[in-house]
Amino acid sequence: MIKFNRLKVLSEDFKIIASALKKSKNLLIEVSADGLKIRRSSAKPLPENTQERREDMKSRSVYAKGFPLDATLDEIKAYLSTYGPVEMVQMRRSISEGEKNFKGSIFALFGKKEDTQKFLDSTEPYKGQELLRLLKEAYFKSKEVTRKDRKADGGKKKSEETKEDHTNNITDDDIKEKMERGMILHLNGFAADATRESIKEVFDQYGTVAWIDFVKGDSEAWVRLTGEASAQTVLDKALEAAQGKLLVNDAEIKGNVLEGDDEVAHWKKLLQVQAEVRERKKQGRGDRRGQSSGRGHRGHGGRGRRGGGRGGGRGRFQNKKTRLESGSDGEEAPDNGMADDDTAGKCAFCSPNKDSNPALLLTGHNSAATEIVRNNFCA
């Protein structure tokens, strides 16, 4: 058990752990007389994995999103426990640069169905932030529908009307599902020479800047952060380092964290832009696929397939011909491997010195290339 990080933080002393387990009220674990071994209580055996058991767990399992990225397991469990006993809490994490970071969403298992429903029906915020609440099964079903829709739309070109409908038809549930609350800074007071780079330099040292919505010459900007540090934390650290006067290109900047309707409106705008970008990329890929499909297109068959030329592989070398021909209009001909001694009048492949000849080395003794040169240049 001491391999579990949460337990290691508390203690790695077997005696202390055994003593604490003996005092447990749920009597789930039994401790041996010498205090060195534990096992599940025979009075509370592990439930059988039956269909009825699985359905029961489904009805008590929930998904919730909207927790601050710096929230701890104990804080979340304490909040959920206000609705009833909680058997399990899983903090969902994403892996970035080798580190596991909390995504702001959880899976949890309540002890009773009525407590589960009480949690789902509640609109009580967590530390001022609204939560998206679903049964775990409903969450997975919604994700599956989304994946199928994306797959169905993957190979189709959409009209401007369809694209506009897609980008504007973003519901409140979509926003709650995707937004990271408390991660947008609104800043104003920029000078005309301010740039995204100069803005990023100020805040990137205190948190991870994911995106800066700013047009050079404007006086305001929106900075979206990601990772564990919230926008308020980053702003406070930046102000503290600047002794309360935040400067970007010698202009004093005022800022605040977006909240409420302003935050939701900004995320809606952001999701619309992301949807438009994805749509343009899809159309770009479709255009390139259309251009590459054609009889004899390079690298894609056509007659003879390889190289797309009649005659298969030989088409690959036909554009080499000019390298071995004599020059025109009085220009000096490039070296074609013809010798000045007793091999004159013979090509590189007929010469006794063919093993050291550059023209032959160029083709790598390829039999197809050899045949072409002999057919075209040998006397």
Side-chain angles (χ1 to χ4, degrees), residues 12-32:
E12 295 185 36
D13 189 313
F14 290 130
K15 292 183 179 180
I16 294 176
I17 296 172
S19 176
L21 288 172
K22 289 178 181 178
K23 296 177 183 178
S24 174
K25 295 179 180 180
N26 61 22
L27 304 177
L28 183 64
I29 301 296
E30 294 179 350
V31 182
S32 64

Side-chain angles (χ1 to χ4, degrees), residues 79-363:
Y79 170 76
L80 296 175
S81 297
T82 60
Y83 297 95
V86 179
E87 294 184 5
M88 181 276 295
V89 177
Q90 176 189 348
M91 298 176 70
R92 303 179 70 229
R93 301 179 184 276
S94 60
I95 300 177
S96 176
E97 297 180 357
E99 296 184 0
K100 293 182 179 181
N101 300 312
F102 180 44
K103 297 171 63 174
S105 62
I106 59 123
F107 292 128
L109 179 65
F110 282 96
K112 298 179 180 179
K113 292 182 182 179
E114 49 266 35
D115 295 335
T116 305
Q117 195 60 47
K118 190 191 306 182
F119 171 77
L120 293 172
D121 293 339
S122 175
T123 57
E124 179 187 359
Y126 176 83
K127 295 184 178 181
Q129 297 190 23
E130 294 183 6
L131 298 178
L132 173 65
R133 306 163 189 249
L134 294 170
L135 277 173
K136 184 177 179 180
E137 184 180 22
Y139 165 74
F140 281 122
K141 285 183 177 179
S142 68
K143 297 296 285 185
E144 181 64 24
V145 170
T146 301
R147 280 192 291 268
K148 287 182 178 179
D149 289 344
R150 287 176 180 172
K151 186 176 181 179
D153 294 339
K156 299 177 182 177
K157 289 186 178 180
K158 298 180 181 178
S159 63
E160 289 298 322
E161 293 81 7
T162 304
K163 183 175 71 173
E164 183 178 354
D165 178 69
H166 174 73
T167 56
N168 291 330
N169 191 27
I170 297 177
T171 66
D172 291 342
D173 287 340
D174 292 332
I175 298 171
K176 289 179 181 179
E177 166 69 18
K178 297 178 181 179
M179 71 184 293
E180 298 178 30
R181 291 187 176 273
M183 302 300 283
I184 305 291
L185 280 177
H186 179 218
L187 310 168
N188 57 69
F190 292 101
D193 59 345
T195 63
R196 287 189 181 89
E197 289 73 20
S198 60
I199 299 172
K200 184 176 181 181
E201 286 179 5
V202 174
F203 298 101
D204 206 30
Q205 54 190 312
Y206 308 110
T208 303
V209 176
W211 182 255
I212 299 176
D213 185 0
F214 175 72
V215 177
K216 189 172 183 180
D218 287 355
S219 61
E220 61 181 348
W222 290 264
V223 178
R224 179 167 67 90
L225 296 137
T226 188
E228 295 185 0
S230 66
Q232 188 64 58
T233 301
V234 172
L235 180 60
D236 291 343
K237 288 182 178 180
L239 285 170
E240 181 181 358
Q243 298 181 346
K245 189 175 182 179
L246 202 58
L247 298 177
V248 175
N249 291 68
D250 298 326
E252 184 175 0
I253 305 303
K254 301 294 183 182
N256 65 280
V257 178
L258 289 187
E259 297 178 337
D261 293 341
D262 290 339
E263 183 180 24
V264 173
H266 184 83
W267 272 98
K268 184 172 184 178
K269 176 185 175 183
L270 173 64
L271 294 175
Q272 287 174 340
V273 171
Q274 290 177 346
E276 291 172 0
V277 171
R278 287 194 297 269
E279 186 63 31
R280 286 196 295 269
K281 286 183 178 180
K282 285 181 182 178
Q283 291 187 356
R285 287 195 295 269
D287 292 341
R288 288 193 293 272
R289 283 196 294 267
Q291 292 170 4
S292 66
S293 63
R295 189 171 180 178
H297 177 70
R298 183 176 125 189
H300 291 283
R303 284 197 184 178
R305 292 194 175 275
R306 183 175 174 185
R310 188 187 297 266
R314 283 189 285 178
R316 177 182 174 187
F317 297 95
Q318 291 192 5
N319 63 352
K320 302 287 186 181
K321 181 175 179 179
T322 55
R323 297 193 179 184
L324 301 175
E325 288 180 335
S326 298
S328 60
D329 298 330
E331 295 180 359
E332 183 180 353
D335 181 12
N336 62 359
M338 302 296 283
D340 291 330
D341 53 15
D342 58 349
T343 62
K346 297 181 180 180
C347 75
F349 299 93
C350 299
S351 169
N353 299 322
K354 59 184 179 181
D355 290 336
S356 60
N357 194 287
L360 184 55
L361 293 175
L362 177 65
T363 63

